[in-house]
């Protein structure tokens, strides 16, 4: 079996010549670009409505894998595996979302003799369960948010743990993701109702009503570390991304490096993370997410895949993460050691969503006029073009504006300029919200935490 990741080690080098990209939109384009830069052929897969999508146009070959609904196309494992086998690919890159964290899919790809560009199914499964991930993090020496030792089964148990860690607490679904399946509990009187609601939501969204408890931190920043690990025992971290600008627990702006970390702080936690992942035997790209409050880090979860915001890290380090995912998958060793990783720039990424800027309701539709911003330090990862219709079936992220500058100040100025240049007519997007955030004194001074955006919007409404 061939995995980029641990558990089942690669038996040696395998030059990847053709990759099937099991995704769509900007992330499929991103992977396509890395492959073409490396001289690797690509196969796109697509639903019926995506026939004329940019990821299909730019790939070397394309296979229709089903109708529009994701469940029948981008999540259709037999169709994707068949497309990979019929087109003679060596490897499957799952991208972000869809099947990227489906351990069963990773296993199937490997059992068909193909390389899954990602970690082992075992690590995907382990980290996909927040309770298990938390226990593993403790075992590996990572600091976690104070909370329950494992699963919370009864209201009495919930009350006991909540009293121990102190209210308010956050009840979370073990299988949660995308900011869903979480409930803040303010006092003992609310435990029973909140627990019921959390379990119902978790069962409906993730098919699993397992919950656990964490202390609800009052003013943390969300700071996450990007790592790369090869099959020769080398693990490096590429510094952090500060993803504290959130709405409904969903990231909107990410930046790096974080304004609150000193090089010493970064190196210290970076060293702990690298040691932990070596112990785990993890391979491939991954991200460890932490909350950071009053100078302390608290692990919340690990994502065993590429992240939407990976371009921030690429921009500040100059390291192409997707390229290294592919190299690692082929059994090559990392060409960098930790001391070669230098963070010399500042980067801000704005997630541009097609949505009503107030209600956040997705607003798909046809793009008739399109002008992407340009100039120094401007990267636009997007599959949009004039004449393209954003379909209503998928995620409403339509572009990532990734701005780099020598300093944070320069980066903010460029981001504002680029946002003003960006024209996606006549779609409704959250560009006005980004511009508003970028002119707030707290954003400019860097004085924000995960609650700041929602509170700012409430104050100004
Ligand atoms: P998901 O997998 O749904 O993204 P996470 O555990 O990564 O869930 O948390 C998402 C966001 O929820 C965090 O970035 C943070 O804003 C908030 N959050 C998570 N845990 C806590 C906590 N213990 N206290 C306060 N906020 C939290």
């Amino acid at each position: 079996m061939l995995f980029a990741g641990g558990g089942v080690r690669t038996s040696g080098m395998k030059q990847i010549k053709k990759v099937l990209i099991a995704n769509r939109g900007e992330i499929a384009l991103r992977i396509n670009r890395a492959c073409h830069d490396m001289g690797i052929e690509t196969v796109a897969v697509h639903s019926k409505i995506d026939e004329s999508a940019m990821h299909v146009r730019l790939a070397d070959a394309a296979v229709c894998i089903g109708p529009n609904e994701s469940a029948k196309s981008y999540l259709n494992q037999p169709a994707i595996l068949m497309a990979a086998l019929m087109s003679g690919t060596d490897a499957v890159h799952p991208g972000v979302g869809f099947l990227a964290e489906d351990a069963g899919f990773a296993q199937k790809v490997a059992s068909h003799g193909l390389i899954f560009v990602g970690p082992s199914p075992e690590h995907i499964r382990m980290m996909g369960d927040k309770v298990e991930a938390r226990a593993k993090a403790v075992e590996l020496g990572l600091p976690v948010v104070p909370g329950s030792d494992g699963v919370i089964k009864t209201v009495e148990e919930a009350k006991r743990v909540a009293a121990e860690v102190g209210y308010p607490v956050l009840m979370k679904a073990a299988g949660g993701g995308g900011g869903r399946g979480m409930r803040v509990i303010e006092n003992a009187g609310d435990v029973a109702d909140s627990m019921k609601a959390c379990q119902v939501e978790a069962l409906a969204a993730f098919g699993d009503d397992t919950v656990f408890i964490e202390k609800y931190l009052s003013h943390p920043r969300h700071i996450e570390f990007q790592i790369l690990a090869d099959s020769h025992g080398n693990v490096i971290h590429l510094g952090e991304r500060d993803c504290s600008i959130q709405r409904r627990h969903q990231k909107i702006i990410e930046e790096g490096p974080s304004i609150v970390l000193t090089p010493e702080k970064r190196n210290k936690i970076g060293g702990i993370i690298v040691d932990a992942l070596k112990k785990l035997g993890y391979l491939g790209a991954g991200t460890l997410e932490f909350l950071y409050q009053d100078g302390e880090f608290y692990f919340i979860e690990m994502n065993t895949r590429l992240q939407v915001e990976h371009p921030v890290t690429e921009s500040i380090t100059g390291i192409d993460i997707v390229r290294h995912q592919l190299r690692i998958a082929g059994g090559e060793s990392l060409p960098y050691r930790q001391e070669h990783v230098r963070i010399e720039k500042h980067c801000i990424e704005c997630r541009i969503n097609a949505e009503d800027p107030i209600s956040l309701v997705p607003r798909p539709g046809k793009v008739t006029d399109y002008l992407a911003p340009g100039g120094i330090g401007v990267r636009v990862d997007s599959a949009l073009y004039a004449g393209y219709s954003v379909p209503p079936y998928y995620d409403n992220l339509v572009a990532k504006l990734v701005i780099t500058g020598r300093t944070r100040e320069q980066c903010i100025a460029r981001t504002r300029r680029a946002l003003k240049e960006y024209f996606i007519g006549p779609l409704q997007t959250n560009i006005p919200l980004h511009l508003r955030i970028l002119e707030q004194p707290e954003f400019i001074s860097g004085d924000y935490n995960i609650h700041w955006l929602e509170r700012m919007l409430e104050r100004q409404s």
Side-chain angles (χ1 to χ4, degrees):
M1 280 194 275
L2 295 169
F3 286 107
V8 187
R9 298 260 170 168
T10 47
S11 49
M13 301 269 280
K14 165 111 172 65
Q15 210 199 338
I16 296 175
K17 298 202 186 83
K18 203 186 236 190
V19 170
L20 179 131
I21 303 166
N23 219 297
R24 66 177 303 282
E26 64 81 23
I27 203 72
L29 265 189
R30 166 72 191 92
I31 298 160
N32 197 67
R33 286 178 174 138
C35 290
H36 283 176
D37 285 351
M38 297 167 79
I40 296 173
E41 270 185 75
T42 55
V43 179
V45 290
H46 65 90
S47 63
K48 191 81 191 68
I49 204 168
D50 273 349
E51 212 160 33
S52 55
M54 201 53 127
H55 78 278
V56 175
R57 292 179 169 201
L58 292 185
D60 298 304
V63 181
C64 182
I65 46 163
N68 302 339
E69 298 81 5
S70 317
K72 295 181 181 161
S73 51
Y74 296 102
L75 295 170
N76 183 346
Q77 299 187 26
I80 294 171
L81 288 167
M82 184 67 85
L85 293 170
M86 302 287 284
S87 57
T89 54
D90 320 292
V92 175
H93 195 310
V96 173
F98 294 127
L99 297 168
E101 284 168 303
D102 187 316
F105 179 66
Q107 185 71 60
K108 278 181 216 141
V109 169
S111 55
H112 282 82
L114 303 168
I115 298 173
F116 179 76
V117 183
S120 70
E122 171 53 14
H123 287 159
I124 297 175
R125 198 199 50 73
M126 177 194 289
M127 294 303 172
D129 179 328
K130 286 182 199 269
V131 173
E132 204 177 326
R134 191 176 147 83
K136 196 72 191 174
V138 173
E139 191 188 315
L140 294 171
L142 294 167
V144 300
V145 187
S148 54
D149 278 340
V151 173
I152 294 282
K153 294 213 175 87
T154 62
V155 171
E156 290 64 46
E157 215 181 334
K159 284 187 179 163
R160 184 180 51 74
V161 173
E164 263 167 40
V165 301
Y167 289 95
V169 295
L170 190 62
M171 185 165 272
K172 286 186 174 181
R180 288 175 308 156
M182 286 191 256
R183 275 252 163 356
V184 182
I185 307 180
E186 301 285 350
N187 54 58
D190 290 345
V191 171
D193 286 352
S194 296
M195 184 160 167
K196 183 97 210 115
C198 194
Q199 286 175 321
V200 168
E201 191 181 320
L203 189 63
F206 317 111
D208 173 9
D209 67 358
T210 310
V211 294
F212 67 107
I213 282 179
E214 279 179 1
K215 169 106 191 120
Y216 182 66
L217 300 183
S218 60
H219 54 281
R221 297 176 81 108
H222 173 121
I223 297 183
E224 58 185 35
F225 278 75
Q226 175 72 52
I227 65 95
L228 284 174
D230 67 20
S231 56
H232 304 269
N234 302 303
V235 183
I236 56 171
H237 75 84
L238 304 181
E240 78 282 3
R241 299 181 286 257
D242 192 324
C243 312
S244 308
I245 303 293
Q246 302 182 354
R247 207 170 169 192
R248 299 186 188 160
H249 301 305
Q250 297 265 41
K251 299 162 187 168
I252 294 187
I253 294 181
E254 300 97 348
E255 67 173 317
S258 172
I259 194 165
V260 294
L261 289 196
T262 59
E264 293 70 38
K265 271 260 170 210
R266 175 176 307 116
N267 293 341
K268 184 162 176 228
I269 188 77
I272 294 172
I273 291 168
V274 165
D275 287 349
L277 292 179
K278 279 186 182 165
K279 265 191 248 166
L280 186 63
Y282 186 83
L283 300 185
T287 295
L288 285 93
E289 298 192 337
F290 294 85
L291 295 179
Y292 181 78
Q293 180 170 295
D294 302 329
E296 300 294 334
F297 281 100
Y298 304 94
F299 171 86
I300 46 171
E301 70 164 340
M302 177 169 185
N303 291 316
T304 51
R305 53 166 168 83
L306 193 64
Q307 302 241 143
V308 170
E309 58 273 24
H310 76 277
V312 171
T313 304
E314 296 185 326
S315 305
I316 61 175
T317 61
I319 294 176
D320 179 335
I321 295 171
V322 181
R323 181 186 188 88
H324 290 293
Q325 282 192 297
L326 291 162
R327 289 179 55 137
I328 290 168
E332 290 184 51
S333 58
L334 281 167
Y336 310 103
R337 296 293 169 263
Q338 194 62 53
E339 61 272 22
H340 301 134
V341 179
R342 299 230 184 288
I343 296 165
E344 287 170 335
K345 303 227 168 79
H346 197 88
C347 178
I348 293 177
E349 174 182 279
C350 298
R351 295 189 187 205
I352 315 283
N353 299 327
E355 66 189 14
D356 181 300
I358 309 294
S359 69
L360 306 188
V361 172
R363 291 270 185 258
K366 184 161 182 165
V367 178
T368 52
D369 291 308
Y370 184 71
L371 180 69
I376 188 163
V378 178
R379 165 176 170 181
V380 179
D381 279 20
S382 173
L384 290 180
Y385 60 88
Y388 175 68
S389 281
V390 177
Y393 300 98
Y394 317 109
D395 198 275
N396 64 342
L397 175 82
V398 291
K400 298 183 317 204
L401 182 62
V402 184
I403 307 294
T404 310
R406 265 185 304 104
T407 61
R408 187 168 185 270
E409 196 184 9
Q410 186 185 51
C411 198
I412 291 175
R414 271 187 192 156
T415 307
R416 289 162 74 163
R417 188 266 295 164
L419 283 165
K420 285 182 191 153
E421 275 180 25
Y422 209 167
F423 188 70
I424 312 173
L427 280 201
Q428 267 193 302
T429 71
N430 59 352
I431 288 178
L433 173 64
H434 282 295
L435 280 165
R436 198 164 147 202
I437 294 170
L438 277 145
E439 67 196 19
Q440 302 300 315
E442 294 90 348
F443 183 82
I444 293 167
S445 65
D447 181 19
Y448 59 76
N449 60 47
I450 59 163
H451 307 300
W452 171 78
L453 175 59
E454 288 195 345
R455 288 180 189 154
M456 183 274 279
L457 292 172
E458 263 166 40
R459 262 198 325 272
Q460 296 189 2
S461 66

